Amino acid sequence: WNVFDLVLVSLMVLETWFLYFLLDDTGAISSLSVLRLLRLLRLSKVFRLVPELAIMVKALFQAMMSVGSTLVLIVGLMYVFSIIFTGWAKEGGVERLTAERPGGMTFDELFGNLGRSFLTLLQVLVFDDTFSIIRDALEEAPQIALLLILF
């Protein structure tokens, strides 16, 4: 490891002191700054000295994978519900869907296209003004309110 550290420090000194005076082109210097990333490899020594840290890092990566798969599942579920709500908002069978809400937003503005439906469902998912949306939906179209509650 001492030889590795010596090479890294030598490259850093070469880049910082000598190349700065020899080369006036900053593009050549910035391309050599990638070599600074090699200094991060020195952290691998810590994993050899403290094996519990390596176990913790492995556990964090496994947890990130499970959280990532949960995120994909939630986004897929929101996408399906967004398609349903957008279809109902565009459908002519529910005439009162575009009735004016007290807050100034119409249901067409909430569920008018896929992006708006996705955003409204995200708002429902994090409980931001969820119950006012559900109450207004219950007054206008109970089937939409039931689907929102189910979501």
Side-chain angles (χ1 to χ4, degrees):
W1 287 106
N2 290 335
V3 175
F4 181 68
D5 285 340
L6 177 70
V7 169
L8 285 178
V9 170
S10 301
L11 286 173
M12 188 176 67
V13 168
L14 176 76
E15 177 187 3
T16 304
W17 295 101
F18 295 118
L19 291 179
Y20 181 75
F21 293 117
L22 293 176
L23 300 174
D24 290 333
D25 185 20
T26 57
I29 294 174
S30 65
S31 65
L32 290 176
S33 64
V34 174
L35 295 175
R36 290 183 186 174
L37 293 176
L38 288 175
R39 288 186 283 173
L40 291 175
L41 291 175
R42 289 191 288 180
L43 287 175
S44 63
K45 286 193 284 186
V46 175
F47 292 123
R48 283 191 177 191
L49 296 175
V50 185
E52 292 86 8
L53 185 63
I55 293 171
M56 291 292 290
V57 170
K58 287 178 186 176
L60 280 173
F61 280 120
Q62 289 174 351
M64 281 179 18
M65 290 183 63
S66 65
V67 168
S69 62
T70 305
L71 177 70
V72 168
L73 182 67
I74 288 175
V75 168
L77 190 66
M78 284 178 61
Y79 183 69
V80 168
F81 273 86
S82 296
I83 290 172
I84 292 170
F85 281 118
T86 303
W88 278 5
K90 294 293 183 184
E91 179 178 289
V94 184
E95 289 90 15
R96 293 188 299 168
L97 204 78
T98 58
E100 191 70 34
R101 292 181 55 216
M105 297 281 292
T106 63
F107 281 106
D108 191 46
E109 289 173 340
L110 290 175
F111 300 110
N113 60 25
L114 196 62
R116 288 180 185 166
S117 294
F118 204 84
L119 185 62
T120 303
L121 288 178
L122 182 65
Q123 183 180 0
V124 168
L125 190 65
V126 297
F127 293 113
D128 180 31
D129 202 26
T130 299
F131 299 108
S132 66
I133 293 172
I134 292 175
R135 283 187 189 107
D136 292 336
L138 191 58
E139 291 173 7
E140 299 297 328
Q143 68 271 23
I144 292 178
L146 182 65
L147 196 60
L148 275 171
I149 291 170
L150 180 66
F151 174 72

